[in-house]
Amino acid sequence: MLTYGDSRMKRLALVLPALLAFGLAVTPAYAGDDKADEKPAAAEKAPEKGAEKPAEKAAEKPAEKPAEHAEKKNGDEEDEAPAKHDLVTYTIDVSVQSLAKFDLGQGTVSAEFLLEVNCDKEPCNPHLELTNGKFSGKPDVLSRDPLHKQMRVKADLEADIDLSAFPYDMHTLRIDLVEGKDAKQVKLKVGEGSIGEKVKLAGWEFDKEPGMGVEQIDAGDKDKQDEFSFTIGIHRPKLQQSFKSLVPVLFMLLVAATGLFLRPKSIGPRFAASTGGIVPLVMFHVGQIASLPAVGYLTRLDKIMIASYLAFVAHITFNVLILRSEEVKTEERSMKLHKTAAFVVPAVAIALWLIAMFS
């Protein structure tokens, strides 16, 4: 007969192998589940890294490619030849509103003007360019009608500078325009031109009417194209320039000429007046030259000053001859030289001045 303890031991002996077998069977399943859980996590991480890069590329490329595409498209449109059409005539009107910064040395001037283009038919798409300067910034468009375009333009222009007639020099300010995109199918025509009443340029006067015209120029490919020109003539005020540049020289010559009235016995003061007057004449000339840019030719003032120098040299030469004659006491010869100088010196001065003024 089995006791209670023996039966308990038999039960344990039966249960323990069953538990051990169950544990061995369950453990690989759980291990497989853990590996299955770990692998998808790794698989999830890999796509996340791979997904970030395409996302970044997708974020970057749409932002860059459309801009690049737009730039290329605009460049292609600019370079693209205009479509063929019938000859279109542009009638150009110019109204100058202001002029400033006129520089004789650089030969430049800043201008602001209203530019109007009236087309006789479509297409009316002017692309006017300056041939003697450049636009300052973008034009301010005032009108975009189908056959009428109006804009306010600021530009730095190159002027035609000629100082050969200084102090009565005259110069030409120009606005030269050509069609920059469709020159072969566009004809330029002169319209109206004006200078505003408030337009001033310090130290200069304007000619009464501006000049306008259209001429054929070489387009660079053995073809011709129209160039529209609007010109403004400017000159120095003649009365003011005469007082500034010529009157001082005339007074110096008159002071020296007083010595011509002195007799040979007063040769000392006469000689001093002629030699002393040439130094301030040279200094005055230097001052006038300093106010002008360096040029490779003689101006009218230079010619007048050279004429004055030669008149002084003639006067000094006669005074030296009279002085030597007085030293040897030949009064008859001295009087002869005195009378000759009174005629020759003024004649030389007047003749040389006329040549300088009108040559």
Side-chain angles (χ1 to χ4, degrees), residues 12 128 263 278:
L12 287 172
L128 296 176
R263 290 185 170 273
I278 199 168

Side-chain angles (χ1 to χ4, degrees), residues 108-172:
T108 58
V109 65
S110 298
E112 181 177 342
F113 55 93
L114 292 177
L115 180 62
E116 295 185 33
V117 180
N118 297 293
C119 305
D120 63 340
K121 65 181 77 169
E122 291 188 343
C124 184
N125 189 23
H127 293 80
L128 296 176
E129 297 178 355
L130 284 168
T131 59
N132 69 318
K134 60 181 180 179
F135 294 119
S136 301
K138 270 188 159 185
D140 183 14
V141 179
L142 305 177
S143 173
R144 292 182 180 271
D145 294 341
L147 297 178
H148 175 75
K149 313 294 182 184
Q150 184 181 37
M151 61 196 79
R152 187 185 301 275
V153 179
K154 292 182 179 179
D156 295 324
L157 306 171
E158 296 176 0
D160 295 339
I161 303 300
D162 182 11
L163 291 167
S164 60
F166 179 81
Y168 303 118
D169 48 323
M170 298 174 287
H171 310 286
T172 303

Side-chain angles (χ1 to χ4, degrees), residues 12-334:
L12 287 172
L14 292 171
V15 169
L16 284 174
L19 289 174
L20 183 60
F22 180 76
L24 291 173
V26 170
T27 301
Y30 277 106
D33 291 342
D34 291 340
K35 289 178 182 179
D37 291 341
E38 288 176 2
K39 283 180 181 177
E44 286 178 3
K45 288 180 182 178
E48 282 178 7
K49 291 180 181 178
E52 284 177 3
K53 289 181 180 178
E56 289 175 1
K57 290 179 181 178
E60 292 175 1
K61 286 180 181 178
E64 293 176 2
K65 283 186 177 177
E68 292 174 2
H69 181 68
E71 286 178 4
K72 287 179 180 178
K73 187 177 180 182
N74 291 336
D76 293 341
E77 287 178 358
E78 288 180 1
D79 296 337
E80 190 177 299
K84 290 186 178 181
H85 55 79
D86 293 336
L87 187 67
V88 180
T89 300
Y90 294 168
T91 302
I92 300 176
D93 300 340
V94 174
S95 177
V96 177
Q97 303 296 302
S98 70
L99 292 170
K101 299 179 183 178
F102 180 47
D103 189 340
L104 279 174
Q106 299 293 328
T108 58
V109 65
S110 298
E112 181 177 342
F113 55 93
L114 292 177
L115 180 62
E116 295 185 33
V117 180
N118 297 293
C119 305
D120 63 340
K121 65 181 77 169
E122 291 188 343
C124 184
N125 189 23
H127 293 80
L128 296 176
E129 297 178 355
L130 284 168
T131 59
N132 69 318
K134 60 181 180 179
F135 294 119
S136 301
K138 270 188 159 185
D140 183 14
V141 179
L142 305 177
S143 173
R144 292 182 180 271
D145 294 341
L147 297 178
H148 175 75
K149 313 294 182 184
Q150 184 181 37
M151 61 196 79
R152 187 185 301 275
V153 179
K154 292 182 179 179
D156 295 324
L157 306 171
E158 296 176 0
D160 295 339
I161 303 300
D162 182 11
L163 291 167
S164 60
F166 179 81
Y168 303 118
D169 48 323
M170 298 174 287
H171 310 286
T172 303
L173 310 182
R174 306 176 63 89
I175 301 173
D176 294 334
L177 299 166
V178 296
E179 169 59 29
K181 188 174 180 181
D182 197 11
K184 294 181 180 179
Q185 302 180 96
V186 168
K187 181 178 177 59
L188 303 183
K189 185 180 177 182
V190 173
E192 296 180 357
S194 63
I195 303 173
E197 294 181 358
K198 295 183 179 180
V199 177
K200 303 290 181 185
L201 201 57
W204 300 90
E205 292 181 346
F206 298 109
D207 292 350
K208 291 182 179 180
E209 295 292 336
M212 300 178 70
V214 174
E215 61 179 3
Q216 293 279 313
I217 64 169
D218 188 1
D221 52 358
K222 296 183 179 179
D223 290 330
K224 298 290 184 179
Q225 71 177 111
D226 287 344
E227 181 184 51
F228 170 86
S229 294
F230 179 89
T231 58
I232 304 171
I234 60 172
H235 58 271
R236 297 181 193 268
K238 292 184 178 180
L239 184 61
Q240 291 89 324
Q241 281 304 116
S242 296
F243 275 99
K244 280 173 148 183
S245 302
L246 299 185
V247 170
V249 180
L250 285 173
F251 273 101
M252 292 178 199
L253 289 172
L254 287 174
V255 170
T258 56
L260 294 172
F261 298 98
L262 297 177
R263 290 185 170 273
K265 296 294 183 183
S266 304
I267 189 60
R270 176 172 173 163
F271 188 79
S274 62
T275 54
I278 199 168
V279 175
L281 190 67
V282 172
M283 297 307 296
F284 175 79
H285 189 192
V286 170
Q288 291 291 315
I289 292 173
S291 65
L292 298 176
V295 294
Y297 49 84
L298 292 176
T299 66
R300 182 169 294 169
L301 181 66
D302 292 328
K303 296 174 183 178
I304 291 171
M305 297 305 295
I306 291 171
S308 302
Y309 295 148
L310 293 176
F312 264 91
V313 168
H315 189 24
I316 292 171
T317 301
F318 275 103
N319 287 338
V320 169
L321 293 175
I322 293 171
L323 181 60
R324 293 190 63 180
S325 178
E326 285 297 308
E327 286 176 352
V328 295
K329 306 295 184 181
T330 53
E331 294 183 3
E332 186 177 345
R333 185 168 178 268
S334 298

